[in-house]
Amino acid sequence: MHVTLPDGKRLDLSEQATGADAAAAIGAGLARAALAIKVDGELRDLSAPLSDGAEISIVTGRDADSLELVRHDCAHVLAAAILELYPGTRISIGPPIEDGFYYDFDFPEGVSISEHDFGAIEAKMAEHIRADEPFVRDDIDVDTALERFREEDQPYKVELIEDLMAAQGVQTVSLYTNGPFTDLCRGPHAPSTKRIKAFKLLSVAGAYWRGDAKRQMLTRIYGTAFLDKAELAAYLERLEQARARDHRKLGRELDLFLFSELSPGSPFWQPNGMAIWNALTELWRSENAGRGYREVRTPILYDVELWKQSGHWDKYRDNMYFTDVEGRQMGLKPMNCPAHIQLYKSARRSYRDLPIRYSEAGLVHRHEPSGTLHGLMRVRHITQDDAHIFCTEEQVQEEVAGCLDFGFFLYETFGFEPRLELSTRPEQRIGSDEMWDRAEAALAGALDAKGLEYEVNPGDGAFYGPKIDLHMTDSIGRSWQLGTVQLDYSMPERFDIGYTGADNADHRPVMIHRALLGSFERFIGILVEHYAGEFPLWLAPVQAIVLPVSDRFAEYGSEVAKALGTAGLRAELDARTESVGRKIRDAELRKVPYMLVVGEREAEQRAVALRRHGEGDVGTLELADAVGRLASEDHKRQ
RNA sequence: GCCGACGUAGCUCAGCUGGUAGAGCACUUCACUCGUAAUGAAGGGGUCGGGGGUUCGAGUCCCCCCGUCGGCUCCA
């Protein structure tokens, strides 16, 4: 038979030839480096027999697929080690993932694993890797497989096979054996364990069987593997650097905010953090005004009747805070929309009034479960950059497009490239299919008109309408939702709001819920990590610091600081009795964008010696020029 | 909420098998008056997250609670 290689060349092989034979036929070096083979685009074991006429390519460490392969191998080696060290453990699944792999185990009663055990587990894994144990595939019929796993008391494997049979009518399954360990597995795998050149266990965590909170909690062990040691070292180094820009760490170091046990999930903003907050608010406020939004402010505490009418009581009660006020039950708002509806209702509205756009830096409270709190990224005290647009059905697409424009303007200011998701009608929803057709088409239309790429999440929309979400990733690769644009046909109905149309008849407006930054808390968290605390001038808590060379020049220094302040800059004077070296070091550590050193020469010439954070000495400028330069940079938000 | 780990001075951390707490930085005082990343010396500072228990004796062992961290579930 023959196969075709990636360069189009034809390779003749004997009947029954395998991937390994093909690799050997091409070259001995390739045969040694081969990990797997791609047959007509599908990844297979090297030991798999080839079919006549197939297009093949040999997968080596140079291919992108190879990492996934060895990580999957490594997951099997981990399971082998665990079963030896902790007999009686039940195994579930162990896939490769982005940057590594995991395996979920159900340990015997009384056994619990922690990172302290990793040393012993890794040592056992290393034994198996050193032993160069081949991965051997065995295709068997499901009954034999079921019998085997029942005998071995591996109920999770039994369940997996039963599901495969039920869902896909599977008759045979494949098993892979490496050393003493056999696992139900689709494959493929590298030829042997020795191909894992570098690996490390990273963390241990709980994970529900099949991601279902009602089912057994398993112990998940995360690890990673690479094809050489240097890559592993580089990866660990990246993790280390990511930790250094964690907003929780920088928040403490730069005195931006703090958290207290006295109010879990609620940040206390230090003056430095508040400066960032205010700079951001200024941008947000002026842009809102320029785009036809009118800012409002509404209460945070409401009679529960409001939440019953809005539907939050039914759907969201468990996540709300309630209190009694003189015998009346009141609830803190988890969303601003019912409040904005009260504003809308304050007058009879005409089609000529629409769209009405209300914006509010609205403070909402949500009782997020304790285990989900995460610095500024997941808080209970949330300040949304909220807005609600009341418009006619015909205006929807244009308004959504306006929101997206606004959003992208904001994100571009920071050099962000958010990931977009369009979530469509869920199973449980209100409104007619025609309404959903129009709503989804309006959102998709707005996205397409802008030529934006987005992912569709079928069934993930809110019960009252579809939505577009904007996601960003934090320093350790976790994805967070920031902005959202949601169409809502339900609230207007629940609150029975209307407008008089040109036909003098009553019509129902559509509501668009829109948050672009998402929340000030989360957005600032993302900003801190994005800039690693080295904020552009316009966001920096302290924009410039004046450093007199000695006490003798403190007076001129104070004059310089005052000039900066007058120009609208956040400036400080470091009047401590310290060496210049010390003052510079401290300012550098605080990541202050500009340092203005003043001594005898500067005082005489009414000048400053300018230094840029992270770059060093810029040179001497006349005071007025220096102030002008900084003010202009601040103004341009560079 | 669930699983696991962790919680010692403002911060980062040390404290072996139980014998009434220690370092660096920060802070205060004094001296130095300094030219682009740490001047030196002295000093103050801790209910060892909270509560209960075991023990002659608990930061250290056990139990409960709170918080934080890593995940999982959730995130209108």
Side-chain angles (χ1 to χ4, degrees), chain A residues 262-399:
Chain A
L262 298 172
S263 186
S266 303
F268 289 62
W269 290 91
Q270 304 262 25
N272 282 343
M274 208 55 214
I276 298 172
W277 182 296
N278 286 335
L280 188 58
T281 302
E282 234 170 79
L283 169 70
W284 175 79
R285 181 164 287 146
S286 65
E287 281 301 319
N288 268 302
R291 290 166 193 265
Y293 291 85
R294 305 199 59 206
E295 188 169 354
V296 299
R297 193 169 179 84
T298 56
I300 61 169
L301 190 61
Y302 297 81
D303 194 301
V304 285
E305 284 310 315
L306 181 78
W307 305 118
K308 284 180 181 164
Q309 193 178 355
S310 70
H312 287 90
W313 175 264
D314 289 333
K315 269 205 65 118
Y316 205 64
R317 194 176 19 191
D318 291 346
N319 295 308
M320 286 178 64
Y321 297 99
F322 295 102
T323 184
D324 256 25
V325 181
E326 294 182 349
R328 213 171 146 190
Q329 209 184 359
M330 311 281 281
L332 285 176
K333 66 176 171 186
M335 286 178 81
N336 301 299
C337 35
H340 290 184
I341 285 176
Q342 304 309 308
L343 298 173
Y344 180 90
K345 281 173 64 171
S346 68
R348 181 66 219 177
R349 305 295 178 179
S350 150
Y351 73 98
R352 297 171 192 275
D353 298 328
L354 303 185
I356 290 174
R357 308 186 189 92
Y358 293 133
S359 68
E360 176 175 8
L363 173 59
V364 300
H365 291 81
R366 300 178 182 182
H367 179 228
E368 303 288 346
S370 56
T372 65
L373 299 178
H374 184 92
L376 292 178
M377 303 299 198
R378 184 100 178 239
V379 290
R380 289 176 173 161
H381 168 120
I382 307 162
T383 313
Q384 296 182 310
D385 70 311
D386 213 357
H388 290 95
I389 300 169
F390 298 85
C391 64
T392 68
E393 180 107 26
E394 294 70 43
Q395 292 168 329
V396 165
Q397 182 162 333
E398 193 184 338
E399 287 305 311

Side-chain angles (χ1 to χ4, degrees), chain A residues 44-349:
Chain A
R44 298 272 180 79
D45 292 332
L46 278 179
S47 58
L50 299 175
S51 55
D52 193 35
E55 287 185 25
I56 66 157
S57 69
I58 307 296
V59 174
T60 68
R62 266 184 259 176
D63 294 274
D65 299 308
S66 63
L67 273 180
E68 199 176 305
L69 209 62
V70 295
R71 285 167 180 174
H72 191 184
D73 293 349
C74 201
H76 280 238
V77 172
L78 168 62
I82 290 292
L83 280 178
E84 278 180 282
L85 293 169
Y86 307 94
T89 298
R90 289 154 168 180
I91 58 175
S92 66
I93 56 166
I97 51 171
E98 176 95 27
D99 288 341
F101 64 88
Y102 68 77
Y103 209 111
D104 285 349
F105 302 101
D106 186 2
F107 284 98
E109 195 73 25
V111 176
S112 77
I113 295 300
S114 82
E115 287 169 27
H116 304 300
D117 303 309
F118 282 1
I121 299 170
E122 284 172 339
K124 182 60 83 178
M125 290 170 71
E127 278 178 32
H128 284 292
I129 291 170
R130 233 178 290 121
D132 196 13
E133 294 162 347
F135 283 94
V136 180
R137 181 183 171 116
D138 193 9
D139 290 283
I140 59 172
D141 65 88
V142 286
D143 293 327
T144 315
L146 282 173
E147 196 181 325
R148 172 176 185 144
F149 285 115
R150 282 201 183 104
E151 219 164 85
E152 288 178 4
D153 190 26
Q154 291 295 354
Y156 300 103
K157 293 295 175 189
V158 171
E159 185 178 326
L160 287 171
I161 296 169
E162 283 171 345
D163 279 10
L164 282 173
M165 292 165 67
Q168 299 167 33
V170 164
Q171 293 301 309
T172 61
V173 292
S174 54
L175 305 184
Y176 276 83
T177 301
N178 52 298
F181 176 67
T182 298
D183 202 355
L184 172 73
C185 180
R186 191 186 302 128
H189 282 280
S192 83
T193 55
K194 207 163 191 173
R195 303 309 179 101
I196 305 163
K197 298 298 182 192
F199 76 98
K200 187 167 171 57
L201 298 183
L202 296 173
S203 64
V204 55
Y208 298 108
W209 168 233
R210 307 209 124 175
D212 185 343
K214 290 194 249 339
R215 305 199 65 179
Q216 179 73 30
M217 174 63 75
L218 306 173
T219 303
R220 174 170 299 179
I221 296 178
Y222 284 95
T224 193
F226 287 90
L227 287 143
D228 77 70
K229 289 195 167 59
E231 281 176 53
L232 173 63
Y235 173 72
L236 296 176
E237 170 69 20
R238 269 207 310 285
L239 281 188
E240 203 54 50
Q241 283 171 0
R243 269 191 275 273
R245 59 201 292 156
D246 189 310
H247 77 281
R248 293 165 296 186
K249 179 176 153 72
L250 287 169
R252 236 192 336 269
E253 289 173 357
L254 302 177
D255 291 319
L256 303 179
F257 54 85
L258 58 88
F259 285 91
S260 161
E261 291 195 11
L262 298 172
S263 186
S266 303
F268 289 62
W269 290 91
Q270 304 262 25
N272 282 343
M274 208 55 214
I276 298 172
W277 182 296
N278 286 335
L280 188 58
T281 302
E282 234 170 79
L283 169 70
W284 175 79
R285 181 164 287 146
S286 65
E287 281 301 319
N288 268 302
R291 290 166 193 265
Y293 291 85
R294 305 199 59 206
E295 188 169 354
V296 299
R297 193 169 179 84
T298 56
I300 61 169
L301 190 61
Y302 297 81
D303 194 301
V304 285
E305 284 310 315
L306 181 78
W307 305 118
K308 284 180 181 164
Q309 193 178 355
S310 70
H312 287 90
W313 175 264
D314 289 333
K315 269 205 65 118
Y316 205 64
R317 194 176 19 191
D318 291 346
N319 295 308
M320 286 178 64
Y321 297 99
F322 295 102
T323 184
D324 256 25
V325 181
E326 294 182 349
R328 213 171 146 190
Q329 209 184 359
M330 311 281 281
L332 285 176
K333 66 176 171 186
M335 286 178 81
N336 301 299
C337 35
H340 290 184
I341 285 176
Q342 304 309 308
L343 298 173
Y344 180 90
K345 281 173 64 171
S346 68
R348 181 66 219 177
R349 305 295 178 179

Side-chain angles (χ1 to χ4, degrees), chain A residues 293 310 312 334-341 356 358 366 384-391 396 399-400 403 443 462-470 481 483-492 495 510-516:
Chain A
Y293 291 85
S310 70
H312 287 90
M335 286 178 81
N336 301 299
C337 35
H340 290 184
I341 285 176
I356 290 174
Y358 293 133
R366 300 178 182 182
Q384 296 182 310
D385 70 311
D386 213 357
H388 290 95
I389 300 169
F390 298 85
C391 64
V396 165
E399 287 305 311
V400 169
C403 290
L443 289 183
F463 70 96
Y464 49 73
K467 58 176 186 164
I468 297 169
D469 292 328
L470 295 90
Q481 183 188 310
T484 184
V485 179
Q486 309 183 347
L487 288 189
D488 183 358
Y489 294 84
S490 161
M491 287 293 161
F495 285 94
V510 180
M511 243 178 122
I512 300 172
H513 304 243
R514 180 233 78 178
L516 298 173

